[in-house]
Amino acid sequence: MKKRFLQNVRFAPAPSPFVQNDFFHLKTKAFLIHKLSESTNLFLTSLLHTLTLKIGFASDTFTVNHLINRYVKLREINTARKLFDEMPEPNVVSWTSVISGYNDMGQSQTALCMFQEMHEDGYVSPNEYTFASVFKACSALAELRIGKNIHARLEISRCRGNTVVSSSLVDMYGKCNDVEIARRVFDSMIGYGRNVVSWTSMITAYAQNARGHEAIEIFRSFNASSTSDRPNQFMLASVISACSCLGRLQWGRVAHSVVTRSGYESNNVVATSLLDMYAKCGSLSCAEKIFLRNRSDSVILYTSMIMALAKHGLGKAALELFEEIVAKRIKPNYVTLLGVLHACSHSGLVNKGLEYLNTMNEKHGVTPDPRHYTCVVDMLGRFGRVDEAYDLAKTIEVGAGQGALLWGALLSAGRLHGRVDIVGEASKRLIQSNQQVTSAYVALSNAYAVTGGWEDSESLRLEMKRSGNVKERACSWIEIKDSVYVFHAGDLSCDESGEIERFLKDLEKRMKERGHRGSSSMITSSSVFVDVDEEAKEEMVNLHCERLALAYGLIRLPVRSTIRIINNLRMCRDCHEAFKLISEIFERKIVVRDVNRYRFKSESFDAKGLNEIACKK
DNA sequence: TTAGGGTTAG
């Protein structure tokens, strides 16, 4: 502190003639602070700022801290920073206020730089408030390495064992995808107390890392604990999000009843999570009801509905909703445009999709990024324009994670359309960047085999075996009347497989009768080639024929209940409804890596657990 | 006696 004081002392303002004595000084200071705390506009705050300088409080840390906080609240971070830089003796509150201000402005990187500066300055030590703010910045940036370093610093400080700091740590590890450490921190909190925020952080950590069962287990433990806290909108939104990632409609419905009983049904964030849950669990009609009941100017609510329609193959409706956003002057963001492109991709509106990509910056102020381009590559690839997809993919600069999505999309397109050259190129790119290595090896090996390169194919298989890249058997699951059935890829031991095959052949025949020129081998090869005029494409959108091929891969697999799915399909009045049902089945299809773990969880915990909470008084 | 943590679309 001394160094900073000496540096600034010659610039410190001379004592003001207004400061006559201690009593006057204290009264004036109290008046200023009181007025500052009441000030909600920039004009008044600037006036009080001028007054603070005039009457000689520019060196008073406490008063200047109030000023800084007022500017932070008004989102005037540059003014706040300027004030901070001119302070002769900033204390920990001054530092934390500016760090927190940068967080609020979304400038998390600057917040972290400031924390480092504070450390190097060495005159002020961080306290609980500072650590909580800094972990929040790490969360926003998903900076695991820096977060761990600061966590180590926390452990040797006197600030460990604080509920707020630990909650922010749980959140940070969750956002950085290290759920195990998040859980360890959460468990350690039992010694000094958890509150509704700590529990919510843990639920969110599980939900955001696709571990819905554990998220719901934590929610159940929270309700069974002795805490007097009740679930609030933050916690409920996360619980619903956990139900979404599980794709289990029954659980989602029970969670919805908890929301209704808690009185949070009209909360905008909760409503958005409900909408998303219903859409992901296959009930588009319920999603629409939630949307209509809560229609507001929220871009996230609109975007969720656009995504829901897009995923259900209703591209035209999704685009109409987007036009409504534009007409209402709600500013779309990059996710909204992703939804629009997704809608075009899943509905065969290829040229429309390209038009949106090329005009989104000019018309909507959203610059296309690799995620948008990947969506368009996927769209072109799905509809046979593989060369265009490849040409576009080559022009996009991506990091490793995004590259996996981009080249993964091209790999699928190459496989779907039998383009060995594209499969080879995409596989090589994926292997080089160490992404999706197993799938890429398999695809590349198959590509070599198709072109007669048996030696290359064999050596690749050996290489896979040596490096431990063994492909896991894919599986899917489906929920029927509160039970979950797991399906294994390639298992044809089903008694009803003949009947299923006959049924699907019949569906294909009826589809052709309605004028669709799909591939004659659509069912057997799981490929759909589209070469139809615009009108037919529109109809194809409604029939979800691309999904039929994929759904076939799901329902041909053996479980006793498969026959019940077929019976449900038969109850449909025509093949349009049947396709919709197949599509819904497909929407709930989730590939899991660890089947045994999932089975164990699904047996040990069912919707009754949530029901108990729903009925709790 | 100023400063701190958790939610929804992707």
Side-chain angles (χ1 to χ4, degrees):
Chain A
M1 185 66 70
K2 193 180 170 194
K3 185 176 148 200
R4 180 177 270 273
F5 181 72
L6 288 175
Q7 275 174 349
N8 289 281
V9 71
R10 62 197 169 106
F11 302 112
S16 163
F18 292 99
V19 184
Q20 293 169 355
N21 55 48
D22 284 352
F23 179 69
F24 179 82
H25 177 93
L26 282 173
K27 274 198 87 170
T28 315
K29 186 167 156 178
F31 170 79
L32 262 177
I33 287 168
H34 176 67
K35 285 291 163 201
L36 270 171
S37 63
E38 282 181 340
S39 167
T40 51
N41 67 70
L42 188 56
F43 177 74
L44 183 58
T45 305
S46 303
L47 210 65
L48 291 165
H49 183 175
T50 310
L51 197 61
T52 304
L53 301 180
K54 285 260 184 216
I55 58 181
F57 284 119
S59 312
D60 184 78
T61 302
F62 188 73
T63 310
V64 177
N65 281 348
H66 271 279
L67 255 178
I68 288 176
N69 281 314
R70 200 35 55 188
Y71 280 120
V72 163
K73 295 271 180 328
L74 291 165
R75 302 181 68 77
E76 292 287 329
I77 187 67
N78 292 336
T79 317
R81 177 63 191 257
K82 192 163 178 290
L83 261 172
F84 171 84
D85 286 341
E86 288 167 355
M87 285 177 89
E89 292 181 36
N91 62 12
V92 64
V93 178
S94 329
W95 282 98
T96 308
S97 302
V98 182
I99 289 172
S100 158
Y102 280 123
N103 275 345
D104 291 348
M105 297 299 290
Q107 298 179 37
S108 311
Q109 194 64 58
T110 318
L112 286 186
C113 290
M114 196 113 192
F115 179 71
Q116 183 59 24
E117 210 182 300
M118 179 183 183
H119 179 68
E120 283 164 7
D121 195 58
Y123 294 99
V124 178
S125 296
N127 66 9
E128 296 89 337
Y129 291 79
T130 327
F131 277 115
S133 293
V134 172
F135 288 134
K136 187 179 181 177
C138 293
S139 283
L141 297 165
E143 268 286 4
L144 184 61
R145 193 182 53 82
I146 296 176
K148 277 185 172 174
N149 278 335
I150 301 173
H151 184 184
R153 227 183 279 177
L154 168 76
E155 287 300 321
I156 53 169
S157 77
R158 57 171 185 81
C159 306
R160 62 193 299 274
N162 175 281
T163 301
V164 177
V165 176
S166 297
S167 301
S168 69
L169 258 180
V170 171
D171 177 63
M172 180 199 78
Y173 281 116
K175 297 271 183 346
C176 294
N177 309 114
D178 200 332
V179 193
E180 304 312 325
I181 304 188
R183 182 60 192 259
R184 250 183 275 156
V185 175
F186 179 72
D187 287 342
S188 75
M189 291 175 75
I190 206 155
Y192 49 89
R194 301 156 169 167
N195 60 17
V196 68
V197 179
S198 336
W199 286 90
T200 303
S201 300
M202 196 61 238
I203 291 171
T204 310
Y206 278 129
Q208 290 180 341
N209 285 280
R211 290 169 63 167
H213 288 102
E214 284 128 309
I216 293 180
E217 285 279 9
I218 293 282
F219 180 56
R220 200 162 61 149
S221 304
F222 169 78
N223 282 281
S225 70
S226 54
T227 177
S228 57
D229 285 346
R230 302 303 313 146
N232 61 16
Q233 66 272 38
F234 293 84
M235 186 176 271
L236 290 171
S238 271
V239 169
I240 295 159
S241 162
C243 295
S244 305
C245 74
L246 288 169
R248 298 199 57 180
L249 186 59
Q250 191 55 34
W251 290 19
R253 284 197 176 123
V254 178
H256 189 168
S257 75
V258 178
V259 168
T260 308
R261 278 171 42 82
S262 312
Y264 289 110
E265 210 172 15
S266 55
N267 175 277
N268 203 269
V269 176
V270 174
T272 307
S273 58
L274 280 171
L275 186 166
D276 181 60
M277 180 274 294
Y278 278 118
K280 284 181 180 155
C281 292
S283 178
L284 186 63
S285 57
C286 286
E288 271 176 323
K289 273 183 206 157
I290 301 276
F291 174 72
L292 293 172
R293 203 182 296 150
N294 294 279
R295 210 173 195 144
S296 64
D297 285 350
S298 157
V299 72
I300 301 183
L301 188 76
Y302 266 97
T303 304
S304 304
M305 194 64 225
I306 288 173
M307 285 286 180
L309 292 165
K311 280 178 181 164
H312 284 79
L314 299 169
K316 214 171 161 187
L319 297 185
E320 279 169 13
L321 203 56
F322 178 69
E323 293 311 322
E324 189 177 313
I325 288 186
V326 177
K328 286 177 86 173
R329 295 184 185 281
I330 299 169
K331 191 169 165 27
N333 59 28
Y334 79 95
V335 189
T336 322
L337 267 302
L338 271 178
V340 167
L341 295 173
H342 205 64
C344 297
S345 176
H346 284 260
S347 299
L349 305 168
V350 183
N351 292 331
K352 196 86 183 148
L354 289 170
E355 191 187 318
Y356 275 114
L357 179 77
N358 293 327
T359 59
M360 57 193 266
N361 191 20
E362 175 200 334
K363 283 190 178 169
H364 309 293
V366 179
T367 311
D369 67 25
R371 289 164 293 197
H372 299 102
Y373 287 115
T374 300
C375 195
V376 173
V377 165
D378 181 54
M379 176 180 75
L380 290 166
R382 277 168 189 268
F383 291 90
R385 292 165 70 168
V386 188
D387 289 310
E388 282 174 77
Y390 180 46
D391 289 343
L392 181 60
K394 280 189 291 187
T395 65
I396 305 164
E397 279 183 29
V398 283
Q402 191 59 47
L405 294 174
L406 177 69
W407 292 103
L410 207 67
L411 184 70
S412 303
R415 271 200 295 229
L416 182 67
H417 297 284
R419 288 287 301 270
V420 175
D421 55 333
I422 300 288
V423 168
E425 183 59 32
S427 304
K428 280 177 189 166
R429 297 247 190 182
L430 287 168
I431 293 167
Q432 275 164 12
S433 62
N434 206 24
Q435 300 283 323
Q436 294 181 21
V437 174
T438 307
S439 319
Y441 267 128
V442 171
L444 192 57
S445 167
N446 290 342
Y448 282 145
V450 166
T451 52
W454 296 107
E455 282 181 17
D456 287 336
S457 174
E458 192 49 36
S459 72
L460 259 181
R461 293 270 173 190
L462 285 172
E463 170 60 28
M464 280 171 70
K465 216 172 174 182
R466 247 197 320 273
S467 58
N469 281 308
V470 181
K471 192 161 168 57
E472 295 160 9
R473 194 162 59 137
C475 82
S476 317
W477 71 66
I478 187 168
E479 177 189 357
I480 300 168
K481 291 203 173 174
D482 220 16
S483 295
V484 174
Y485 298 90
V486 179
F487 300 78
H488 293 278
D491 186 346
L492 299 169
S493 58
C494 174
D495 292 342
E496 300 87 1
S497 61
E499 188 171 359
I500 296 166
E501 188 127 355
R502 276 194 297 282
F503 177 76
L504 286 164
K505 292 258 184 213
D506 183 45
L507 277 182
E508 190 185 22
K509 194 175 137 213
R510 288 163 66 185
M511 202 170 131
K512 279 182 185 164
E513 282 166 8
R514 286 168 66 122
H516 295 283
R517 283 198 289 130
S519 159
S520 59
S521 59
M522 185 172 71
I523 281 181
T524 49
S525 72
S526 294
S527 300
V528 182
F529 294 90
V530 181
D531 181 20
V532 287
D533 60 31
E534 274 307 312
E535 198 184 345
K537 274 183 191 170
E538 286 282 311
E539 201 174 353
M540 185 205 73
V541 168
N542 295 328
L543 292 174
H544 302 196
C545 72
E546 58 162 317
R547 298 271 171 82
L548 171 64
L550 293 164
Y552 173 67
L554 174 70
I555 63 172
R556 72 189 292 192
L557 299 168
V559 283
R560 290 225 159 265
S561 58
T562 308
I563 202 70
R564 289 158 69 183
I565 303 171
I566 298 299
N567 285 337
N568 284 338
L569 286 168
R570 282 201 169 129
M571 286 160 67
C572 296
R573 273 173 301 152
D574 64 10
C575 63
H576 175 90
E577 283 188 24
F579 287 138
K580 272 181 77 175
L581 184 59
I582 292 173
S583 178
E584 282 189 13
I585 293 166
F586 176 64
E587 283 297 336
R588 293 195 218 159
K589 182 184 140 186
I590 304 165
V591 173
V592 283
R593 292 216 165 122
D594 188 348
V595 184
N596 290 329
R597 188 165 132 261
Y598 174 75
R599 273 187 176 153
F600 168 76
K601 289 290 175 189
S602 63
E603 280 163 14
S604 67
F605 185 76
D606 56 31
K608 281 176 197 155
L610 269 176
N611 264 320
E612 284 164 18
I613 299 161
C615 301
K616 202 173 168 182
K617 292 198 176 163

